[in-house]
Amino acid sequence: MDDRLNVRTMVDAKKGKIKPAIYTDPDIYQLELERVFARSWLFLAHESMIPKAGDFFTTYMGEDPIVVVRQKDGSIEAFLNQCRHRGMRLCHADGGNTKAFTCAYHGWAYGLDGGLTSVPLEEQAYRNKLDKSRWGLTRVPRVSTYKGLVFGNWDNEAPDLETYMGDIAWYLDGFLDRRDGGTEVLGGVHKWVIECNWKFAAEQFCSDQYHAPYTHASAIQVLQASPANKGDGKPLGDGQTPRPVWADALGGVQFGGNGHGSAFFFTEKPDANVWVDGVVSAYFRDTYAEAEARLGKVRALRLAGHNTMFPTLSWLNGTQTLRVWHPRGPNQIEVWAFCICDRDAPVEVKDALIKSHARAFGPAGFLEQDDSENWVEVQKVLQGHMARKTDFCVQMGLGFEERRDDGIPGVTNYTFAETAARGFYQHWADMMSAESWEEINALSAAYQKELVHE
Amino acid sequence: MARVHVCSVADLPPGEGRRVDTTPAIALFNVDGEFYAVADMCTHATASISEGYLEDDCSVECPIHTARFCLKTGAALCLPATEPLQTFAVSVEDGEVYVEVAQGEGA
């Protein structure tokens, strides 16, 4: 244990209290880059974005720029997007296809496999003395794929991807595995900046069902079925689920474990949420039988609710947004949002989904704006000295954690709970203070056992 | 001079190039049905011209540092290259493509 910044005194998961300095302190942020982001499995890309040899996509692991590259043999590698000569950003494109990566500064060039292949004036200037084999790109040592999603991890000691995911894999399957053929990313990536700490966004998607009926009330009012609103096109709401899923829900469940979290309502029918376009909602109804055969009833019916895979990958079932909250200092994030669709969905469903996704959760999306406003205002409040010293309350459903016997895995609670938030912050504090993955795993296991009195 | 067989016409469609493993290596291109051969190694720095990008004016752009060369004359058309690429004669007989290389060179 090396709790050099005393973060374990700032997170009290057992009493449900948090000191908000964890969202603002620059020293804590620097330690997060090292102990959380350089040790966790982080989402890099969807396989469908880089299908051919030489296809690449540039992204980030924490603040480190990364280039993800499809190799000639079909495998995927990821490298630090930094020239080994003088540290210049190597690839400046968002994505594309290439035969080589050439640095714009002095012209050092690298192959798809990261090897240094060409150095201008190698003979005259370096007198042929540069050992190019030692100056290849810095390779992300662990790259692994789960049902189309490509992840990377800097830490050789970290558990393998599926062990790291634990029970969140069961929830993620309900998003990625509804139909034969898997999923793909539709259109480009929406990228925008929000002035808030990364944990506000990640934790809300992990645990906070509670905000939805109130924060999003006006957006839902506008986006719900409105046959009068015909204009020149179809009435907004044709085919949509008529009311928010929570209005007609038969209870629900929240899951929290290893920092990951998820929550959803039980519904009688496969209902996407009210803001999902009618064409898309109808598609989910039409393909329900296939989804049920693949996933079982609980997950096939689930077309709403929120999820975070620790630390920064979040998604919303039915809405079909998948996003990464790239940290940019303690007070800012860059959101990268991907629209995920079954590969075999008809083209009219894909067209409708792109619009529906952007309308609700794009950078100017009705619901996205509601969420951003909350996070930004909390971050502003935390500029205050007294505000930063004032504890946050994370006590919802405290002590009501249980393991279910109906096949829904992990430590669970009622949908409206902060079980996943407490688990998120406990795991965060464990990663911030533990010196090894062995220690992190032991701390996680002990916390979860105590929660359900095992 | 020696004549080196490279491939069938059908093996190299218009708009594509391939490396010929002669000594030195040659880059062969099919530009709208006309075949051109130049030295494969860029005159500026280590780069395989056969992996370059064909442009509309019968030139090729080096894939590494974006120098451009005329495929007809080998001339360097822009920086960072200043020296021309060597050019090689190409012949097509019975649907087979050959390049002419100096004696002592060859596949």
Side-chain angles (χ1 to χ4, degrees):
Chain A
M1 186 75 74
D2 170 21
D3 190 8
R4 66 182 79 159
L5 299 179
N6 298 317
V7 299
R8 299 189 79 83
T9 66
M10 300 177 188
V11 171
D12 189 344
K14 287 173 193 166
K15 293 194 178 130
K17 291 205 283 193
I18 284 170
K19 299 217 177 292
I22 68 167
Y23 302 110
T24 59
D25 187 316
D27 293 334
I28 287 180
Y29 178 73
Q30 288 305 320
L31 196 61
E32 285 177 333
L33 293 184
E34 175 190 337
R35 291 205 162 163
V36 175
F37 289 94
R39 297 203 287 188
S40 295
W41 282 98
L42 302 174
F43 173 73
L44 300 178
H46 190 292
E47 278 190 309
S48 68
M49 303 168 75
I50 47 169
K52 300 189 300 293
D55 285 351
F56 68 90
F57 177 67
T58 51
T59 182
Y60 291 87
M61 293 172 73
E63 296 229 35
D64 284 314
I66 299 293
V67 58
V68 189
V69 192
R70 180 75 74 171
Q71 302 295 299
K72 287 172 184 164
D73 67 1
S75 64
I76 293 171
E77 294 273 3
F79 306 100
L80 196 60
N81 188 12
Q82 177 192 38
C83 181
R84 290 298 306 280
H85 177 218
R86 290 309 181 95
M88 172 68 162
R89 185 186 303 275
L90 180 62
C91 177
H92 290 250
D94 294 336
N97 181 277
T98 191
K99 289 162 179 163
F101 296 99
T102 304
C103 179
Y105 196 173
H106 304 91
W108 280 29
Y110 305 82
L112 299 180
D113 63 357
L116 178 60
T117 54
S118 183
V119 173
L121 302 178
E122 186 177 359
E123 192 180 336
Q124 303 94 314
Y126 286 93
R127 318 294 176 111
N128 276 334
K129 296 288 188 197
L130 181 72
D131 182 355
K132 295 210 293 291
S133 71
R134 299 175 69 89
W135 295 99
L137 294 179
T138 304
R139 180 174 174 270
V140 179
R142 314 277 300 276
V143 173
S144 199
T145 300
Y146 186 83
K147 300 196 176 180
L149 305 189
V150 184
F151 294 85
N153 193 324
W154 286 112
D155 188 355
N156 278 313
E157 307 303 315
D160 63 63
L161 175 62
E162 292 198 29
T163 305
Y164 174 93
M165 293 173 81
D167 291 322
I168 194 68
W170 185 87
Y171 298 86
L172 181 56
D173 287 350
F175 184 67
L176 295 176
D177 210 5
R178 298 185 70 82
R179 297 198 63 199
D180 194 26
T183 60
E184 65 184 5
V185 172
L186 295 185
V189 185
H190 281 138
K191 303 176 181 178
W192 69 97
V193 167
I194 303 177
E195 307 293 331
C196 74
N197 185 270
W198 66 271
K199 294 187 288 300
F200 285 128
E203 178 231 301
Q204 182 183 291
F205 276 68
C206 185
S207 184
D208 194 334
Q209 188 67 263
Y210 188 47
H211 79 287
Y214 192 61
T215 279
H216 298 306
S218 62
I220 289 160
Q221 191 75 30
V222 171
L223 290 174
Q224 70 188 344
S226 175
N229 184 13
K230 283 187 192 273
D232 293 330
K234 68 186 174 63
L236 185 63
D238 240 10
Q240 281 179 217
T241 303
R243 283 151 41 98
V245 292
W246 52 81
D248 302 303
L250 317 163
V253 66
Q254 178 169 116
F255 150 76
N258 295 358
H260 317 307
S262 175
F264 61 101
F265 297 94
F266 301 128
T267 56
E268 206 175 333
K269 290 179 291 185
D271 290 330
N273 223 325
V274 63
W275 52 80
V276 176
D277 190 279
V279 172
V280 181
S281 298
Y283 166 77
F284 286 130
R285 288 190 282 269
D286 293 345
T287 55
Y288 173 76
E290 182 179 346
E292 193 193 300
R294 298 174 69 82
L295 297 164
K297 208 166 178 180
V298 171
R299 288 182 296 174
L301 283 171
R302 181 192 174 180
L303 288 163
H306 53 80
N307 316 259
T308 289
M309 176 175 153
F310 190 89
T312 42
L313 177 68
S314 299
W315 65 95
L316 298 176
N317 301 53
T319 301
Q320 299 305 111
T321 191
L322 177 109
R323 62 259 315 276
V324 183
W325 320 103
H326 291 301
R328 292 291 177 268
N331 302 307
Q332 193 184 79
I333 55 175
E334 215 173 282
V335 188
W336 286 27
F338 306 74
C339 180
I340 303 289
C341 188
D342 296 332
R343 200 184 288 264
D344 288 348
V347 66
E348 61 271 20
V349 170
K350 292 181 180 178
D351 290 346
L353 180 58
I354 284 183
K355 292 179 195 144
S356 171
H357 171 263
R359 193 162 61 218
F361 278 93
F366 283 76
L367 289 96
E368 186 70 45
Q369 292 298 298
D370 295 336
D371 291 329
S372 309
E373 177 75 1
N374 291 334
W375 305 332
V376 168
E377 286 304 314
V378 179
Q379 199 73 32
K380 280 188 197 161
V381 167
L382 293 182
Q383 289 176 29
H385 172 71
M386 291 307 292
R388 272 209 293 273
K389 284 172 54 178
T390 303
D391 284 355
F392 284 10
C393 172
V394 196
Q395 297 180 338
M396 198 187 308
L398 187 66
F400 291 86
E401 282 80 10
E402 61 171 357
R403 285 195 190 275
R404 302 172 66 99
D405 53 16
D406 60 359
I408 297 176
V411 172
T412 61
N413 206 327
Y414 179 50
T415 321
F416 293 114
E418 285 167 343
T419 293
R422 289 186 288 272
F424 177 91
Y425 289 113
Q426 183 62 51
H427 190 75
W428 175 84
D430 292 344
M431 285 201 84
M432 290 288 279
S433 55
E435 289 172 275
S436 68
W437 261 102
E438 198 184 347
E439 206 176 348
I440 295 166
N441 289 335
L443 289 164
S444 270
Y447 171 72
Q448 278 160 220
K449 270 190 171 180
E450 198 178 321
L451 270 185
V452 289
H453 315 290
E454 278 170 346
Chain B
M1 296 296 280
R3 201 166 77 143
V4 176
H5 175 250
V6 180
C7 60
S8 302
V9 170
D11 293 337
L12 190 64
E16 295 202 1
R18 71 150 63 191
R19 184 184 141 101
V20 187
D21 286 325
T22 47
T23 309
I26 289 173
L28 177 73
F29 294 96
N30 179 342
V31 181
D32 299 332
E34 292 289 324
F35 290 86
Y36 298 94
V38 293
D40 188 52
M41 175 67 86
C42 181
T43 58
H44 160 251
T46 305
S48 175
I49 292 297
S50 62
E51 293 183 13
Y53 303 94
L54 277 178
E55 304 293 329
D56 290 342
D57 60 351
C58 200
S59 69
V60 60
E61 184 185 271
C62 172
I64 302 296
H65 299 105
T66 68
R68 220 155 32 81
F69 297 93
C70 175
L71 287 173
K72 292 175 180 171
T73 66
L77 300 175
C78 73
L79 294 174
T82 52
E83 298 300 314
L85 292 172
Q86 187 183 347
T87 58
F88 300 87
V90 184
S91 56
V92 177
E93 273 179 36
D94 300 329
E96 299 298 316
V97 187
Y98 301 86
V99 289
E100 303 286 342
V101 296
Q103 286 293 353
E105 300 177 350

